[in-house]
Amino acid sequence: MINTDILYLRKFYDKTYIKKIDSIEFVVNEDICELFDNYLLKQLTTLKGRLDAIKKVYHINKNIPVFLDNNLVFIQTFNKKQHENIYINAHRIIDMIKDKESTIIIFEDDSKLTVDKPLHIIKKYYNNSLKINLFKFRKGYENGKEKY
């Protein structure tokens, strides 16, 4: 269900709307945190564990990016406690445009999403998400690249 074709996930109470490349959309009757947890359990970790680690390692305390793997890092656009929230796959964004007090996000398939947050805030969340790299702390890697 969760894979690299996802552009964004829209949380609405206990349902999740999934938007994939080429306008593929569907709804699952599962909370977004459950979806993330189920994906991460295959890697022997949990969403809470990942978020706690990102907080400590990258010193991000608000709107923590959800790192699932090196190609799936989601930026949350609002507080996770809200009933509605959008989680955007940072690796699928190609541009962001200011539109008054909103931001228009353009994805690699040329689809667009308007988010009711100023551009400078979305860019901050985006830049935080790009800092996260699984290989950074593994033995044999330096600055995200193999040493040998």
Side-chain angles (χ1 to χ4, degrees), residues 12-100:
F12 188 73
Y13 291 92
D14 59 346
K15 293 184 182 201
T16 304
Y17 297 82
I18 299 174
K19 168 80 165 149
K20 291 188 170 193
I21 292 175
D22 297 327
S23 301
I24 298 170
E25 294 184 51
F26 58 95
V27 180
V28 291
N29 291 320
E30 200 171 354
D31 180 70
I32 202 160
C33 293
E34 292 174 41
L35 282 173
F36 288 150
D37 249 343
N38 290 336
Y39 184 88
L40 289 169
L41 283 172
K42 295 174 191 165
Q43 299 174 30
L44 304 178
T45 187
T46 63
L47 179 59
K48 183 183 179 333
R50 279 284 164 93
L51 294 176
D52 288 346
I54 290 167
K55 272 181 169 179
K56 287 181 184 176
V57 173
Y58 293 98
H59 309 288
I60 301 170
N61 294 312
K62 289 185 177 181
N63 289 81
I64 303 159
V66 178
F67 177 84
L68 301 183
D69 63 41
N70 283 332
N71 296 311
L72 282 169
V73 182
F74 291 94
I75 347 173
Q76 54 181 318
T77 55
F78 299 99
N79 185 311
K80 68 180 179 182
K81 293 179 182 176
Q82 288 185 257
H83 297 296
E84 291 185 59
N85 203 343
I86 302 170
Y87 290 77
I88 303 165
N89 185 354
H91 292 286
R92 294 291 182 184
I93 296 172
I94 59 167
D95 201 5
M96 291 180 265
I97 301 168
K98 181 180 180 173
D99 182 37
K100 297 177 186 168

Side-chain angles (χ1 to χ4, degrees), residues 97-133:
I97 301 168
K98 181 180 180 173
D99 182 37
K100 297 177 186 168
E101 290 299 312
S102 299
T103 303
I104 298 172
I105 297 172
I106 302 170
F107 296 100
E108 61 187 32
D109 69 345
D110 291 325
S111 62
K112 296 175 181 153
L113 172 69
T114 301
V115 179
D116 292 329
K117 282 255 182 180
L119 178 63
H120 72 278
I121 291 174
I122 297 296
K123 277 191 173 180
K124 179 182 175 186
Y125 299 162
Y126 176 74
N127 290 332
N128 281 342
S129 73
L130 295 182
K131 292 178 190 174
I132 302 168
N133 185 330

